[in-house]
Amino acid sequence: MKYWLVFIGLFFSQLLLAQNTNSDLIQLQNHPQKDTTRCFLLNKIIEAENDHNIWIKYNQELQKIALENSKKENNRTLKNTYIKYLLISYNNDGAYQLYNEKYDKAILLYKKSLQAANSIQYHIGSSLSLQNIGTAFDYLGKIDSTLVYMKKAHHFALLSKNKSSIAYVLTDLGYVYNNLGNNNLAIKYNLEALPLFEKLNDLEGLERTNFALGRIFDNQNDYKTSCLYYLKCLEIDRKTNNKERLGLILNSLAATNTNLNLLEKAMQYNNEAFQLATQMNNEDLIATSHKNYGDIYFKKKENEKAKSNYLLAEQLFKKINSGVHLSKVQIKLATIFFNQNQLSIAKEYGLKAFELAQKTNFPSDQKNAAEILSQIFSKEKDFKNAYKYKSIASDISEEIYFDESKDIALKATYQYETEKKEAAIKVLNQKNRITELESKKKTTTLYLVLLFFTGIATTSYVLFSRYKEKKKNELLENKLLEAEKLLEAEKKITESELKALKSQMNPHFIFNALNSIQVQFMYGDKMVANEQLNNFTYLTRKILDVSGKKNITISDEFEILTKYLELEQLRFKKDFTYSINISNNIDEDYHKIPPMLIQPFVENSIKHGLLHQKGEKKVKIHFDIDKNETYLICKVIDNGIGRKKSAEIKAKNNTNHNSFSTQSIEQRLELLNKKTQLSDLMTYSDLINEQNEVTGTKVVIKIPFA
């Protein structure tokens, strides 16, 4: 999270805001012996001081006092107070390391803060420490790690029930999902944060959330709307005199106006941003300003000025280890050198940018780098590499997560504003109603006598109505119970069908495996056959262990597939290899799927794809999850003869029938998710090379999570 405000001692924020640093210093001198008071005053001074070289000295004293007293204090309340001050000091220390770009040290300090918070079950402190760890990983360009820690921070923020803590984590999650290209979740989390910040009247939080929404519209190329959000941020930052955020917003407005071809306005914003960044000696903002200058001059077709600014930005981004921004600058430099026909330099920058974009895991940068590399290789008449990078760019374009339309973002924000206005109108109507009722209060007294006489009749009517309503509710409850019983019965039927299918599949697999071992005993090496039998015994035990279970973990599925493929590898000997890869997004011991669901697809790949393949035989299995984390996606890829040749061999051998395993899997998938068409859950495709030859088969299976 480049340019995010680093959290410094946000605990007790309402109590610890300093009004006058000089008076705090005087109080500090007057209370040299009372450690709790001294910790309180030290923290006030740290909050008020902007120069990190000054407040870090006070923080060292705060840390020393808090650490000593937390160890020797016997009173539980005081001990917990010192531990809270200790974790504040660790967070401050981590912030200081971030300022000095020592990110690994910052992470260690934030983890010490987390440990302290967890020791007293201080959920606000745990959430803050986890946010800071995520921030440090973002500085390192490790966006996947950032997401993991932000999700953990969200968990502790919810436990704390602190609205401010929850709101800040929500807007940070929106930031991360925006970087990942998931606009739906980015909008969701930011719009959850916005009303919380408004209720708290938190200008900093409102500024962050408006900035995040501006970036979302930037990603949708709706620069006019994003500019409106950035201008809201600019107004807040000028009001709060937050120079770091002001520099960030000015840079963002410069970039947005550049995209709108309002180059003079873009230059004005960037000049102010550059001047402010130079005054603060903030290398992040200086580097971004140089990049913006490069973009402006590039639009003006003043390539030499653009190039010189990009080179300065590249140098600074390297220094501060900002891989995300560095790759963007290198892509621009590759483009300029390509336009100047300096192909060797252009290629060098393009390759560096592509490699860096892969490390930072930014698909859009990978795509842009691949596209310029394709143009460079094409101009060099290296058509093989040109085709390679063109294909990469095309594949990434299909995989990048985009909303179907930017209207989704517009509708979401419009709906929020509409709901807010409707709520305000409702409150106003309620106030008017209360006023009317008060004005009629005196008149109402006159009718009390009449009401007394009609009370008996009214009471009788009400009692009768309640009796009828009670009978109606009893009838509805009975119907509801009947419906629940029916649903439970249907669920049991579905589970029974699934169990029946699994019990059929297990002997089917055992028969095939025993048949392979029998062949080895009859015609092969008996030692190899014996080894196969040992593997088969272990695998059979494992299958018997999981067959009665509704779901098993990915790690168990991994072990079963590995043992099965080892068994097949002995049968094929040296010309058969396999690999099983599991995405970092998957928790192997948490995510679960039904057992024996993947093995039949692997078996089909070997039996129909590789058995008739000459030479090296390969099977690759890859597990991943979709963006919304509702499906496990498994890909089974082989380098076999392909579906067409396999079908021809079947026809020749008079074996044109669907295998039992394939039919059973189709039935299981339909039972597991009746809302989705089978064709969407299971797809087959042939792999084609540049010569339009079949090089294998790919099966993609979408399995609903348990």
Side-chain angles (χ1 to χ4, degrees), residues 36 66-87 116 119-120:
T36 52
L67 184 60
E68 289 175 355
N69 283 280
S70 66
K71 290 179 179 177
K72 67 183 182 181
E73 182 60 60
N74 293 321
N75 182 286
R76 186 174 180 181
T77 302
L78 284 175
K79 186 180 182 72
N80 286 353
T81 300
Y82 285 121
I83 289 174
K84 287 180 181 180
Y85 279 118
L86 180 61
L87 64 91
S119 70
I120 58 173

Side-chain angles (χ1 to χ4, degrees), residues 35 139 172 204 247 261 310 404 421 516-517 546 602 604:
D35 286 340
Y139 272 85
D172 287 349
E204 180 188 335
N261 283 318
Y310 283 140
E404 292 179 0
K421 288 176 182 177
S516 298
I517 294 171
V546 304
V602 180
N604 281 347

Side-chain angles (χ1 to χ4, degrees), residues 352-468:
K352 285 194 291 188
F354 183 75
E355 182 181 356
L356 192 55
Q358 286 181 311
K359 289 180 181 178
T360 56
N361 196 25
F362 269 72
S364 59
D365 289 345
Q366 294 175 37
K367 173 180 170 289
N368 293 336
E371 284 179 343
I372 189 63
L373 281 169
S374 176
Q375 294 179 48
I376 293 166
F377 281 117
S378 179
K379 203 164 186 178
E380 287 184 338
K381 300 193 182 303
D382 184 351
F383 298 113
K384 183 178 179 181
N385 276 318
Y387 176 80
K388 170 188 170 183
Y389 284 103
K390 190 67 178 175
S391 299
I392 290 171
S394 177
D395 291 342
I396 293 172
S397 295
E398 293 177 1
E399 292 175 4
I400 291 178
Y401 181 95
F402 284 116
D403 289 330
E404 292 179 0
S405 168
K406 67 183 179 184
D407 290 342
I408 291 176
L410 286 167
K411 287 176 182 176
T413 51
Y414 176 77
Q415 182 180 356
Y416 170 74
E417 294 296 335
T418 303
E419 288 173 354
K420 193 165 70 172
K421 288 176 182 177
E422 287 176 351
I425 292 168
K426 188 175 180 181
V427 170
L428 185 62
N429 288 336
Q430 287 175 342
K431 287 181 179 178
N432 291 335
R433 180 64 178 160
I434 290 168
T435 304
E436 289 175 7
L437 289 171
E438 287 178 349
S439 67
K440 291 178 181 179
K441 188 175 181 180
K442 293 180 180 180
T443 307
T444 304
T445 308
L446 298 174
Y447 295 98
L448 287 176
V449 177
L450 292 173
L451 287 173
F452 176 77
F453 288 106
T454 58
I456 296 173
T458 304
T459 303
S460 300
Y461 175 77
V462 169
L463 289 173
F464 179 72
S465 298
R466 287 181 64 185
Y467 173 77
K468 285 178 66 179

Side-chain angles (χ1 to χ4, degrees), residues 273-299:
F274 183 72
Q275 184 179 359
L276 187 62
T278 306
Q279 288 173 0
M280 293 190 297
N281 195 26
N282 188 313
E283 291 183 329
D284 281 349
L285 295 176
I286 292 171
T288 305
S289 294
H290 279 302
K291 178 189 174 294
N292 285 341
Y293 278 132
D295 291 340
I296 293 167
Y297 286 123
F298 186 81
K299 284 263 188 178

Side-chain angles (χ1 to χ4, degrees), residues 301-332:
K301 298 184 179 179
E302 298 180 29
N303 285 335
E304 288 305 316
K305 286 185 179 180
K307 183 165 65 176
S308 64
N309 276 284
Y310 283 140
L311 289 170
L312 286 169
E314 181 194 24
Q315 184 180 355
L316 286 170
F317 284 136
K318 280 182 180 177
K319 183 179 177 182
I320 62 178
N321 195 28
S322 177
V324 174
H325 296 86
L326 180 58
S327 64
K328 296 180 190 297
V329 170
Q330 288 175 339
I331 291 167
K332 289 288 189 178

Side-chain angles (χ1 to χ4, degrees), residues 513-558:
L514 285 174
N515 189 50
S516 298
I517 294 171
Q518 183 182 20
V519 171
Q520 285 294 323
F521 272 115
M522 291 177 65
Y523 304 110
D525 188 335
K526 291 186 178 180
M527 289 185 69
V528 172
N530 190 54
E531 186 176 353
Q532 280 184 311
L533 190 58
N534 287 334
N535 276 345
F536 172 73
T537 302
Y538 177 84
L539 183 59
T540 305
R541 286 199 188 108
K542 191 68 180 176
I543 292 170
L544 288 172
D545 181 50
V546 304
S547 62
K549 297 178 181 179
K550 186 177 179 181
N551 296 291
I552 61 172
T553 62
I554 300 296
S555 59
D556 283 338
E557 184 71 14
F558 177 89

Side-chain angles (χ1 to χ4, degrees), residues 607-608 612 642-660 662-663:
K607 182 177 179 181
H608 302 298
H612 303 286
R643 294 183 297 162
K644 185 177 179 181
K645 286 187 179 179
S646 176
E648 290 173 356
I649 292 170
K650 283 184 185 178
K652 186 176 180 182
N653 296 331
N654 292 322
T655 58
N656 275 327
H657 65 278
N658 289 329
S659 68
F660 167 77
T662 303
Q663 292 174 345

